[in-house]
């Protein structure tokens, strides 16, 4: 259901309708004015401005001169305390007063000053209201006067068909200016008279009136009452086989359930409406249904489904050239991405929404204001032509000269106003561009800082992994050192003999050199692992070799903890592209988590044989690395957040919660992914999947 744009101009136009219809509420208004005057005696300066403006509005239609007087008093007080909003409202009230006193020059001047004050406080909505109010006042006022004259004539003639038609037309005008109570009264009168008629034309008119009444109850948030009229209308449309209007009505019913809060019913009706709208190529209606379906999914926290529905709505809105739907979709897309934590996407859609909203507001302001000036100029010219026809030739020449001067002044004033508006629009876009550049620079700096912090965290994680491997490394180095010590001692005792065995000495020296090479290899591997993880290092390597290097460092640690570590490594794996040292760090992190998991289960089940297995293989154009353990496993509700930073199930002081988060980031840098297979109490399998180097 499209909301009427006139609804935001409710207050001034509703006041106009009240005055034109001479409601009995005038007495209540007088009582309200007396209360305001009493309140004025003890009011603060700022409250005086508000009270004078309220008094001015209440007298605009009944006593324009008094309204002008109160507006001038409000303007005087507001100027003294520099209350910009108060001045803007006072100038607006002055313009309305001058309108009803036919002083169009002061009207334009007052509206110009009001527009300037609203612009200074950045109130775009009031600017739009001001421009549109002046444009619509004359049209609604004249239409109602003509309909009332016609109605009196038809009542005298007892022409009931014309009376019903006039009631309907008057209700349309009241609805257009958002006076829903009066519109409902006239629609109900028209419906009573049309229902007594027979024939297809009468049924069509009944359907239209039911639709209008239902929409008004919807605008007043009386959704249950609106559904009564919509349901009755649906029965009549289905009896006639009017599928096109049924699809539109289903959207209206869905909207009522949506705003009522019954999301299940709303979703069902939106889906039914969408099917029919797609069949009928109703792009605007289908876009609206998709957006509403997305909003329902968002309220259910199904943000991925919501985003999918919003994107479909955006495509259809562009086809239908519906900027209002496009703008609304940008806003809800921003909210959905923000809920998912994708703040970059949320920011991009928020900018799109802001730019489109500002463009639409500015376009509407300029169009309405220019149309208002054009309408005024046309009416003045028509009045002048009527006067010219009754005057002699000489008087006509003088009048034409005066009109020409007025026209030049009016045209010049219009050019000035248009130039000012164009300059303001350009300047606002210039400021917005500068603002966007500054924001982009700040975002770039923040991203750079975040990247540097991420590098520090990763390096610290590498050092943490080294610390965890310290026990195994000590064992690996201790064995060759012990061999060197024994060989050196044997050489010492052999040299003390009178005839040393040279063959034995050579063999002992060779064993010492072999053990020194072993120690050097261990030290080199540690140095490379801790310092060789720079971002720029990217080469083709064998995943199985990384596994061998990692297990050589951690194997002794597993043996010391009585954990069985088995490997099943493919010998002919295709190469992958990335940083082998970072993959080795990932393997260390996953093996460390597996060790903690099996030890935790061992505490619960003392008879458990702790087992961890590593397997590499090639499948479906990818290289797979699987580390499987028989530990405690991961609960189903934790699988979605184990890769988040600082999320850990370990005891305080035993883990930072960064291992899996950093591992996920490192594998993502290599264009790969990590999948989790786990069952509580039975074990976990962490599967690293990397693309082939030839496919990148």
């Amino acid at each position: 259901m499209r909301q009427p744009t006139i609804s935001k101009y409710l207050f001034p136009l509703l006041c106009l309708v009240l005055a034109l219809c001479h409601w009995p509420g005038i007495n209540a208004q007088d009582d309200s004015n007396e209360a305001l005057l009493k309140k004025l005696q003890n009011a603060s300066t700022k409250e005086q401005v508000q009270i004078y403006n309220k008094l001015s509005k209440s007298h605009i239609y009944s006593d324009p001169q008094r309204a002008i007087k109160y507006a001038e008093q409000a303007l005087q007080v507001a100027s003294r305390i520099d209350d910009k909003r108060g001045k803007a409202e006072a100038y607006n009230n002055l313009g309305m007063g001058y309108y009803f006193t036919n002083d169009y020059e002061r009207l334009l001047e007052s509206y110009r000053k009001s527009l300037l004050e609203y612009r200074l406080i950045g109130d775009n909505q009031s600017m739009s209201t001001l421009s549109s109010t002046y444009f619509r006042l004359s049209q609604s006022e004249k239409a109602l006067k003509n309909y009332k004259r016609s109605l009196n004539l038809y009542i005298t003639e007892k022409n009931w068909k014309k009376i019903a038609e006039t009631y309907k037309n008057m209700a349309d005008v009241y609805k257009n200016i958002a006076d829903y109570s009066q519109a409902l009264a006239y629609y109900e009168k028209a419906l009573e008279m049309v229902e007594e008629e027979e024939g297809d034309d009468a049924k069509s008119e009944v359907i239209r009136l039911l639709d209008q009444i239902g929409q008004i109850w919807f605008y007043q948030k009386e959704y249950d009452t609106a559904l009564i009229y919509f349901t009755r209308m649906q029965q009549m449309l289905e009896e006639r086989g009017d599928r096109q209007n049924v699809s539109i009505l289903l959207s209206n019913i869905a909207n009522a359930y949506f705003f009522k809060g019954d999301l299940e019913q709303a979703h069902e009706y939106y889906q039914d409406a969408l099917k029919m709208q797609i069949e009928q190529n109703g792009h605007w209606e289908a876009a609206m249904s998709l957006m509403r379906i997305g909003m329902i999914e968002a309220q259910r926290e199904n943000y991925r489904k919501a985003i999918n529905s919003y994107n479909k709505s955006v495509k259809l809105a562009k086809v239908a050239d519906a900027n209002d739907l496009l703008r609304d979709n940008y806003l809800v897309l921003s909210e959905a991405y923000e809920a998912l934590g994708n703040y970059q996407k949320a920011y991009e859609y928020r900018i799109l929404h802001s730019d489109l909203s500002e463009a639409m507001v500015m376009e509407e302001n300029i169009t309405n204001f220019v149309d208002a000036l054009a309408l005024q100029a046309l009416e003045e010219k028509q009045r002048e032509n009527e006067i010219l026809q009754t005057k002699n030739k000489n008087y006509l020449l003088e009048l034409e000269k005066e009109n020409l001067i007025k026209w030049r002044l009016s045209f010049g004033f219009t050019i000035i106003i248009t130039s000012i508006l164009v300059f303001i629009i350009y300047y606002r876009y210039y400021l917005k561009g500068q603002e966007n550049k500054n924001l982009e620079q700040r975002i770039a700096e923040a991203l750079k800082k975040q990247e540097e912090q991420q590098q520090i965290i990763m390096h610290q994680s590498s050092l943490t992994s080294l610390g965890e491997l310290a026990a195994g490394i000590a064992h690996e180095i201790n064995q060759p050192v012990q061999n060197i010590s024994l060989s050196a001692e044997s050489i010492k005792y052999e040299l003390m003999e009178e005839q040393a065995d040279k063959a034995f000495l050579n063999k002992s020296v060779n064993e010492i050199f072999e053990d020194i090479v072993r120690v050097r290899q261990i030290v080199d591997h540690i140095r490379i692992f801790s310092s060789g993880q720079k971002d720029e290092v990217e080469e083709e390597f064998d995943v199985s070799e990384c596994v061998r290097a990692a297990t050589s460092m951690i194997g002794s640690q597993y043996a010391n903890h009585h954990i069985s570590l088995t490997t099943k490594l493919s010998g002919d794996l295709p190469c992958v592209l990335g940083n082998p040292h970072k993959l080795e760090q990932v393997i260390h992190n996953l093996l460390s988590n597996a060790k903690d998991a099996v030890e935790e289960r061992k505490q619960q089940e003392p008879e458990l044989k702790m087992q961890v297995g590593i397997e590499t293989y090639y499948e479906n154009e990818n290289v797979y690395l699987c580390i499987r353990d028989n530990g405690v496993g991961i609960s189903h509700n934790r699988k979605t957040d184990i890769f988040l930073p600082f999320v850990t199930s370990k005891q305080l002081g035993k883990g930072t919660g960064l291992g899996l988060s950093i591992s996920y980031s490192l594998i993502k840098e290599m264009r790969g992914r990590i999948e989790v297979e786990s069952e509580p109490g039975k074990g976990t399998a962490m599967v690293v999947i990397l693309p082939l180097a030839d496919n990148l």
Side-chain angles (χ1 to χ4, degrees):
M1 182 183 299
R2 301 197 191 195
Q3 299 287 352
T5 56
I6 191 65
S7 62
K8 58 185 176 182
Y9 313 125
L10 175 61
F11 176 77
L13 297 178
L14 181 57
C15 292
L16 172 62
V17 175
L18 294 177
L20 292 173
C21 295
H22 304 291
W23 275 17
I26 288 292
N27 293 330
Q29 186 184 66
D30 291 340
D31 295 339
S32 176
N33 289 338
E34 290 179 5
L36 287 173
L37 289 171
K38 289 181 181 178
K39 188 177 179 182
L40 188 63
Q41 298 174 0
N42 300 319
S44 64
T45 309
K46 182 138 186 154
E47 289 175 342
Q48 288 179 10
V49 176
Q50 298 173 356
I51 293 172
Y52 280 130
N53 277 324
K54 288 180 180 179
L55 288 168
S56 177
K57 288 178 182 177
S58 66
H59 288 89
I60 282 174
Y61 309 106
S62 59
D63 191 349
Q65 292 294 344
R66 183 178 293 184
I68 292 172
K69 178 181 176 182
Y70 282 128
E72 288 174 345
Q73 290 175 311
L75 181 61
Q76 183 179 2
V77 178
S79 300
R80 190 167 64 247
I81 63 173
D82 196 24
D83 181 3
K84 290 184 173 56
R85 181 170 293 279
K87 288 196 289 184
E89 293 178 0
Y91 280 127
N92 190 8
N93 293 335
L94 278 173
M96 294 285 285
Y98 290 135
Y99 173 84
F100 287 105
T101 57
N102 297 322
D103 193 342
Y104 290 101
E105 290 184 2
R106 291 188 181 181
L107 163 65
L108 288 175
E109 180 65 17
S110 298
Y111 271 11
R112 183 187 67 79
K113 291 180 179 179
S114 181
L115 193 66
L116 179 61
E117 293 295 334
Y118 279 127
R119 187 176 293 112
L120 289 175
I121 60 177
D123 191 344
N124 291 330
Q125 182 175 356
S126 295
M127 290 165 59
S128 179
T129 301
L130 179 63
S131 301
S132 297
T133 298
Y134 180 59
F135 176 68
R136 300 176 187 273
L137 276 173
S138 298
Q139 294 176 322
S140 300
E141 180 185 20
K142 289 183 178 179
L144 287 170
K145 286 182 179 178
N146 290 331
Y147 286 140
K148 285 183 178 180
R149 284 197 296 266
S150 301
L151 182 63
N152 292 331
L153 179 62
Y154 296 143
I155 290 175
T156 304
E157 296 174 351
K158 297 183 180 180
N159 189 338
W160 307 117
K161 186 175 182 180
K162 287 291 185 179
I163 292 172
E165 182 179 352
T166 306
Y167 279 144
K168 180 192 66 177
N169 293 336
M170 293 178 71
D172 288 342
V173 174
Y174 282 120
K175 180 189 173 188
N176 189 48
I177 60 177
D179 186 357
Y180 296 132
S181 58
Q182 280 291 84
L184 273 175
Y186 284 108
Y187 277 136
E188 293 287 356
K189 289 180 180 179
L191 182 62
E192 290 176 4
M193 301 184 74
V194 173
E195 283 180 326
E196 296 176 1
E197 301 291 331
E198 295 181 357
D200 289 338
D201 292 340
K203 290 182 179 179
S204 298
E205 196 57 34
V206 169
I207 291 173
R208 179 188 177 280
L209 291 169
L210 289 172
D211 181 47
Q212 296 297 330
I213 295 171
Q215 288 187 35
I216 290 177
W217 284 116
F218 179 90
Y219 297 149
Q220 293 182 317
K221 300 182 180 180
E222 297 289 343
Y223 303 119
D224 290 328
T225 307
L227 284 170
I228 294 173
Y229 287 91
F230 288 153
T231 303
R232 183 181 170 190
M233 180 181 171
Q234 182 183 5
Q235 294 174 351
M236 296 183 69
L237 288 173
E238 288 176 349
E239 289 176 0
R240 303 181 69 180
D242 190 349
R243 289 180 59 82
Q244 182 174 1
N245 285 321
V246 167
S247 68
I248 298 173
L249 181 61
L250 288 175
S251 294
N252 292 346
I253 295 174
N255 288 337
Y257 279 114
F258 178 85
F259 288 101
K260 181 184 175 183
D262 191 345
L263 299 183
E264 292 296 331
Q265 285 286 354
H267 189 275
E268 181 178 347
Y269 275 101
Y270 279 132
Q271 291 288 1
D272 294 340
L274 182 60
K275 291 178 183 178
M276 300 180 70
Q277 290 156 0
I278 292 173
E279 293 174 359
Q280 300 162 9
N281 291 325
H283 297 130
W284 189 97
E285 292 77 10
M288 174 61 78
S289 296
L290 284 166
M291 186 181 74
R292 292 295 191 193
I293 291 171
M295 292 172 71
I296 292 173
E297 295 295 347
Q299 290 192 30
R300 294 172 173 173
E301 297 184 355
N302 297 328
Y303 297 111
R304 293 293 180 190
K305 291 184 178 180
I307 290 172
N308 183 42
S309 186
Y310 293 152
N311 286 328
K312 292 179 181 179
S313 179
V314 166
K315 292 179 181 178
L316 289 177
K318 289 180 179 178
V319 172
D321 196 21
N323 285 337
D324 53 343
L325 273 178
L326 199 59
R327 174 196 60 197
D328 294 341
N329 271 299
Y330 287 155
L331 178 60
V332 291
L333 274 168
S334 173
E335 293 173 349
Y337 276 115
E338 184 178 0
L340 287 175
N342 191 340
Y343 299 108
Q344 179 67 28
K345 279 284 188 183
Y347 169 75
E348 292 173 0
Y349 280 106
R350 185 72 67 171
I351 290 298
L352 289 173
H353 171 264
S354 176
D355 291 343
L356 188 55
S357 298
E358 186 171 356
M360 290 174 66
V361 169
M362 284 300 177
E363 182 180 356
E364 184 178 5
N365 288 342
I366 294 172
T367 302
N368 288 340
F369 205 83
V370 171
D371 288 345
L373 294 176
L375 181 63
Q376 176 201 337
L378 180 62
E379 291 180 349
E380 288 181 354
K381 196 166 184 179
Q382 289 175 348
R383 287 197 298 269
E384 291 166 2
N385 289 334
E386 292 175 359
I387 295 173
L388 287 172
Q389 292 175 1
T390 61
K391 304 295 182 181
N392 57 45
K393 186 176 182 179
N394 292 332
Y395 182 73
L396 289 175
L397 292 174
E398 292 180 2
L399 192 57
E400 282 183 3
K401 186 183 293 185
E402 292 178 1
N403 289 334
L404 182 60
I405 294 172
K406 289 182 180 179
W407 182 85
R408 286 176 178 173
L409 290 173
S410 177
F411 182 75
F413 180 74
T414 304
I415 293 296
I416 292 172
I417 291 295
T418 305
S419 301
I420 292 172
L421 289 173
V422 170
F423 172 76
I424 290 173
I425 293 170
Y426 171 78
Y427 185 66
R428 284 178 63 86
Y429 275 108
Y430 172 76
L431 290 179
K432 193 168 186 65
Q434 294 296 320
E435 212 175 283
N436 290 339
K437 288 181 181 178
N438 294 335
L439 186 57
E440 288 174 2
Q441 184 177 357
R442 290 199 298 272
I443 290 173
E445 292 174 354
L447 290 175
K448 183 178 179 182
K449 185 175 180 180
Q450 183 183 8
E451 185 177 351
E452 291 173 353
Q453 291 175 344
Q454 187 73 10
Q455 292 298 327
I456 293 172
I457 292 174
M458 288 186 180
H459 186 63
Q460 289 176 345
S461 177
S462 300
L463 298 179
T464 303
S465 298
L466 282 175
E468 293 176 353
L469 294 173
I473 294 169
H475 180 80
E476 292 291 331
I477 294 177
N478 185 59
Q479 184 177 356
V481 168
Q482 189 175 12
N483 291 339
I484 291 171
S485 176
L486 292 173
S487 297
E489 187 177 358
S490 298
I491 292 171
K492 176 182 176 182
Y493 286 119
E494 186 64 31
L495 290 174
M496 292 173 64
E497 298 291 334
E498 292 180 0
Q499 291 182 351
D501 188 349
K502 291 184 178 180
F504 176 77
L505 292 175
N506 287 332
K507 180 181 178 183
S508 298
V509 170
N510 289 335
E511 288 177 352
I512 289 173
F513 277 116
E514 288 176 0
D515 289 329
I516 291 172
V517 169
R518 171 61 180 159
V519 172
R520 184 182 294 114
Q521 288 177 347
I522 293 172
V523 173
D524 287 343
H525 187 80
I526 296 170
R527 177 179 54 79
I528 292 171
F529 177 76
S530 61
S531 63
Q533 303 187 24
K534 298 179 181 178
D535 290 339
E536 60 268 17
V537 175
E538 191 171 74
E539 59 188 40
E540 295 184 7
F541 64 92
D542 187 348
V543 173
S544 294
E545 289 298 324
C546 282
V547 175
R548 292 188 185 97
T551 54
S552 69
M553 301 287 288
I554 206 169
S556 299
Q557 187 177 356
Y558 265 54
N560 292 337
H561 287 78
H562 307 291
I563 300 173
S564 172
L565 178 62
T566 59
T567 59
K568 183 180 178 182
L569 307 179
S570 175
D572 57 349
L573 284 179
C575 290
V576 299
L577 184 64
N579 189 328
H581 309 296
K582 290 185 177 181
L583 180 59
E584 190 173 337
Q585 180 183 350
V586 172
I587 296 170
H588 278 298
N589 289 340
L590 297 180
L591 286 174
S592 177
N593 288 344
K595 180 178 78 67
D596 293 337
V598 296
E599 287 181 339
E600 184 177 347
R601 187 179 175 189
K602 178 70 173 178
Q603 293 177 357
Q604 302 171 2
E605 303 175 21
E607 297 179 356
L608 175 72
K609 293 182 179 181
M610 298 182 288
Q611 296 177 347
V612 176
I614 307 178
E615 181 183 2
T616 60
Y617 55 94
Y618 167 71
E619 187 178 289
N620 298 329
E621 299 297 322
N622 289 303
V623 173
Y624 288 76
L625 165 62
C626 177
I627 298 178
R628 191 181 304 274
D629 65 69
N630 63 340
V632 293
I634 303 170
S635 61
H636 294 292
N637 58 350
R638 295 297 301 275
K639 286 183 181 179
T640 57
D641 59 5
I642 60 174
F643 294 107
L644 297 176
F646 307 108
V647 174
T648 179
S649 60
K650 299 178 183 178
Q651 297 178 356
L652 185 62
K654 196 170 182 179
T656 62
L658 291 173
L660 284 178
S661 174
I662 292 173
S663 299
Y664 179 83
S665 300
L666 295 177
I667 295 302
K668 191 175 181 181
E669 286 180 9
M670 300 182 195
R671 279 77 68 181
R673 65 185 188 275
I674 301 178
E675 294 182 353
V676 183
E677 301 173 2
S678 182
E679 189 171 346
K682 293 186 178 181
T684 301
M686 305 296 290
V687 184
V688 178
I689 306 171
L690 295 171
L692 301 183
D694 296 337
N695 294 338
L696 298 177

